Amino acid sequence: MIDKNPSQHQDPTAKSSVVRLEIDGDLAFIVIDNPPVNASSVAVRSGLLEAIQHVSAAPGIKAGIIIGAGSTFVAGADIKEFGRPPAPPELPTVLAAIEACPKSVAAAIHGAALGGGLELALACDARIALADTIVGLPEVTLGIIPGAGGTQRLPRLTGIATALDLVTSGRRIGAREAAKLGIIDHVVDGKSLHDGAAEFVRTLPGKRIVADLVVPPETDEAIAQAEQSALKSGRGREAVSEAVKAVKSAATLPVREALAQERAAFQQLRDSEEAAALRYNFFAERQAGKLDGNAKPLPVKTVGIVGAGTMGAGIAAVCAAAGLDVILVDANAAALEAGKGRVSTALTDLHRVGKLKVPSAEDAAAHVTYAGDIAALTGVDLVIEAVFEDLRIKTDVLERLAATVRADAVIATNTSYLDLDQLAEATSRPHDVIGLHFFAPVHRMRLLEVVRGAKSDPAALATGVSLAKTIGKLPVVAGVCEGFIGNRIYAKYRAQCEYMLEEGALPQDLDAVMEDFGFAMGPFAVSDLSGLDIAWATRKRKAASRDPRERYVGIADRICEMGRLGRKTGAGWYDYSAGSGRGAVDPIVTELVRAEARKQGRPQKIFAKAEMQGRVLGAIVNEAALLLGEGIARSAAEIDLVLVNGFGFSKFRGGPVFQASRKTSSEIDAMVDAAGQATGFGFRRGDVAALLADIAG
């Protein structure tokens, strides 16, 4: 811990409001106090430079120690400065002053030293840290590289191969691992960081400028292997290839030349389209979990789940992986037994990728108990129904849950399409009801739509958002409508693709074009993966109320009627009988598509890629505008978060709405017009200008 009442006095010459000097005998503690995370803003940089100059000149000071006030050291750059040229003094200037200081300067680290925070520490002569500290250089995750010496100083401590891994992955590591790698010089145990740092600094023999060190020797094979691994993981991203080049230059170029090249690459990448897209997502994620008002989430330690199918078991697994106690209920004994296997498989997968908050998959599994009756849920803090997507079945389950769980328990439904308000009214306690729409596979998909009903209590909604964060999900708040945000937009996207099937395109053509546009998989490959039966059931449910004037494409129905429900049946839009992961183009589907097109009598054409993508983007952007205008979505950026994290659009391209914002208004209008003309009766035009203005704002 940090001693909040050290035996120092504040130096009256310190002028910065966010950096102060506290003198402790012959040591000067340079305290960064820029809450909440001590970001390296221009004020911090100015204050540090002033403090270092004071330490350099003061005759009674033997060494300086840079330390963070509050709960962290320096957790990175000031996000308010993202996307803008940095104001002087820039961080390299501050770090050069630390190295030029005739006296030792150490970094005393707690909490996090990330990005520029770690670069600041690396410029010091020593690094002392509390045991629970994390350090890292995550710049590549924002489409840039470290720009203040991180690619040059780090490999001089760790070697090139390790630095390649850390810089190109953006991986965060703990203090003890960092100490083994040579990044941290001393881990403090059993005393305050202030005292531990002071003791260690007094043992320093003098300056140890990391930039002047020789890169540790390594085999060419080790470096080549690390480079190959980094480039493979980076999948051609410019930031990764530039990071590799910069780190390797530490062993081949004079340090000042390498630092200049690093800075130039950083500045070039900072202005790139990819960096802009990643910053956009970064800010959107920071806002996504914030709610208006002062409602406090209710404590959740035990979660009840009804339904041990794919969704219910997945939800149970992610809750248990977070250390929550789970009661999974299913009245069908065989389904409950199968659910145990699904939970075990998901936990094993989560353990493999390092996403358990408990020591092992076995420890997580011990948090799950299984029951055959809802009566087992009387003591849970929050309950989630995850039964079949049928209004009657879900209504019955929710009525029973409302009569069973505690009066202060939150009741959630995992419905994908059904009317949350109608379900909530059936419980007689609608204020306790929210939607928690998970995406499959639950243990892999990051998105969680937290749905606010008309009568949902703010505390219940806050509890849903808090639970999402606890289990490692990205919460996006949505209002009530058919499909909420993601599925409502996806329905329009998929419909536009199906229209084009009637007009001459084939599934494999559209899938390839949509992947080129930015989706990880095209709509027909996605349908095969998730199963065609869910959307088919929805279409059949809505058939009686569908206006006969609406354009309706029956191709997907014909495929389902053939028993082709996707990968799980060995065939859907594609043929999976040969065991191919992506499936093979099937002549049966090609002929069916052509036959249905002939039956409709629509003119056939050969589509250009730009027209396909334009029609889809027009449909997505128009529906997004309607969602924003109706208050279903809170912002354009959150709509993109849903499409990136729930539907596989590339985060490196920001999202479809972000992509639309890079086009002219006339281009977007033409795309929306084309989508509207293809849709015909029932098409509603949204205020696209307001949607795009929301991004600009």
Side-chain angles (χ1 to χ4, degrees), residues 169-463:
S169 69
R171 185 165 64 91
R172 303 177 182 192
I173 61 175
R176 297 201 186 281
E177 182 180 354
K180 289 179 181 178
L181 295 175
I183 301 169
I184 299 296
D185 296 294
H186 179 64
V187 177
V188 174
D189 283 310
K191 62 184 69 175
S192 74
L193 178 60
H194 171 271
D195 292 345
E199 286 182 14
F200 186 80
V201 166
R202 286 194 169 99
T203 69
L204 293 178
K207 298 287 289 182
R208 181 179 182 252
I209 299 174
V210 174
D212 291 342
L213 300 178
V214 176
V215 175
E218 292 176 272
T219 65
D220 292 341
E221 181 182 2
I223 294 173
Q225 185 175 354
E227 178 181 1
Q228 183 180 12
S229 176
L231 293 174
K232 182 179 179 180
S233 299
R235 299 180 180 179
R237 291 179 54 215
E238 186 179 7
V240 173
S241 60
E242 287 292 335
V244 168
K245 178 181 175 183
V247 170
K248 289 181 65 180
S249 74
T252 60
L253 293 178
V255 65
R256 300 306 158 193
E257 182 180 343
L259 285 169
Q261 289 189 7
E262 175 202 69
R263 190 67 179 175
F266 162 78
Q267 290 170 333
Q268 179 183 346
L269 290 168
R270 185 187 61 201
D271 298 330
S272 69
E273 186 73 2
E274 181 179 297
L278 291 169
R279 284 195 300 269
Y280 167 75
N281 273 280
F282 176 83
F283 286 120
E285 288 191 15
R286 286 179 62 90
Q287 288 298 122
K290 296 181 180 179
L291 297 173
D292 295 332
N294 300 313
K296 301 294 183 183
L298 303 172
V300 174
K301 295 182 179 179
T302 304
V303 176
I305 301 165
V306 181
T310 301
M311 295 303 294
I315 297 168
V318 296
C319 289
L324 298 174
D325 291 327
V326 178
I327 303 172
L328 182 59
V329 173
D330 201 303
N332 184 309
L336 192 63
E337 189 62 29
K340 292 180 182 179
R342 294 188 185 100
V343 170
S344 177
T345 299
L347 289 175
T348 299
D349 201 18
L350 287 167
H351 177 66
R352 179 180 59 81
V353 297
K355 291 188 176 180
L356 293 181
K357 293 183 180 178
V358 293
S360 68
E362 291 75 19
D363 289 308
H367 281 271
V368 185
T369 58
Y370 300 87
D373 194 291
I374 281 176
L377 303 177
T378 54
V380 300
D381 303 307
L382 179 146
V383 64
I384 305 167
E385 71 76 15
V387 299
F388 189 71
E389 189 78 351
D390 178 274
L391 181 62
R392 182 185 59 80
I393 295 173
K394 285 186 178 288
T395 299
D396 176 65
V397 169
L398 288 167
E399 285 179 344
R400 293 167 60 201
L401 284 173
T404 301
V405 299
R406 296 195 322 254
D408 61 342
V410 174
I411 302 171
T413 171
N414 183 50
T415 184
S416 301
Y417 289 98
L418 300 178
D419 187 333
L420 174 68
D421 291 330
Q422 186 177 353
L423 293 170
E425 287 297 335
T427 67
S428 74
R429 42 190 287 192
H431 55 283
D432 292 327
V433 179
I434 60 172
L436 290 177
H437 179 218
F438 290 83
F439 286 72
V442 176
H443 69 288
R444 293 180 183 170
M445 298 297 286
R446 188 170 174 231
L447 178 67
L448 177 55
E449 286 181 320
V450 182
V451 187
R452 62 178 188 280
K455 297 182 179 179
S456 297
D457 188 273
L461 189 68
T463 303

Side-chain angles (χ1 to χ4, degrees), residues 457-483:
D457 188 273
L461 189 68
T463 303
V465 170
S466 176
L467 175 70
K469 295 177 181 179
T470 297
I471 61 178
K473 301 300 180 186
L474 173 65
V476 174
V477 176
V480 175
C481 68
E482 176 86 20

Side-chain angles (χ1 to χ4, degrees), residues 650-672:
S650 173
K651 65 181 179 180
F652 303 113
R653 300 188 188 184
V657 183
F658 177 83
Q659 286 295 308
S661 73
R662 318 311 262 186
K663 300 182 181 298
T664 66
S665 58
S666 60
E667 287 175 324
I668 293 300
D669 284 343
M671 292 175 183
V672 174

Side-chain angles (χ1 to χ4, degrees), residues 447-635:
L447 178 67
L448 177 55
E449 286 181 320
V450 182
V451 187
R452 62 178 188 280
K455 297 182 179 179
S456 297
D457 188 273
L461 189 68
T463 303
V465 170
S466 176
L467 175 70
K469 295 177 181 179
T470 297
I471 61 178
K473 301 300 180 186
L474 173 65
V476 174
V477 176
V480 175
C481 68
E482 176 86 20
F484 312 123
I485 297 173
N487 281 335
R488 178 168 153 179
I489 289 181
Y490 187 69
K492 298 298 182 182
Y493 158 43
R494 189 178 61 236
Q496 202 63 223
C497 289
E498 291 177 355
Y499 297 157
M500 286 186 273
L501 289 182
E502 284 191 335
E503 299 165 20
L506 289 170
Q508 61 269 25
D509 301 328
L510 285 156
D511 278 350
V513 167
M514 291 304 104
E515 288 179 21
D516 181 72
F517 176 50
F519 284 101
M521 298 173 68
F524 303 106
V526 168
S527 293
D528 277 357
L529 180 63
S530 59
L532 278 68
D533 48 332
I534 297 174
W536 189 28
T538 299
R539 293 194 299 274
K540 289 189 287 187
R541 172 175 58 84
K542 297 171 66 176
S545 60
R546 186 181 302 118
D547 192 307
R549 293 171 292 179
E550 292 180 14
R551 183 175 181 181
Y552 183 78
V553 179
I555 296 173
D557 293 346
R558 303 293 85 77
I559 290 178
C560 290
E561 289 163 3
M562 296 170 66
R564 301 171 66 106
L565 302 180
R567 293 192 186 191
K568 60 188 175 185
T569 60
W573 291 99
Y574 299 97
D575 177 15
Y576 300 90
S577 60
S580 171
R582 290 182 65 87
V585 173
D586 194 332
I588 294 174
V589 173
T590 300
E591 177 52 35
L592 187 151
V593 169
R594 298 300 192 210
E596 287 291 315
R598 289 192 296 270
K599 187 186 300 183
Q600 295 298 322
R602 294 189 181 275
Q604 301 293 286
K605 63 185 292 185
I606 297 175
F607 281 92
K609 179 175 74 173
E611 184 178 359
M612 289 181 180
Q613 293 179 347
R615 285 259 297 264
V616 165
L617 184 57
I620 289 175
V621 168
N622 187 70
E623 201 62 28
L626 291 170
L627 284 164
L628 186 65
E630 295 166 14
I632 304 300
R634 302 190 303 177
S635 71

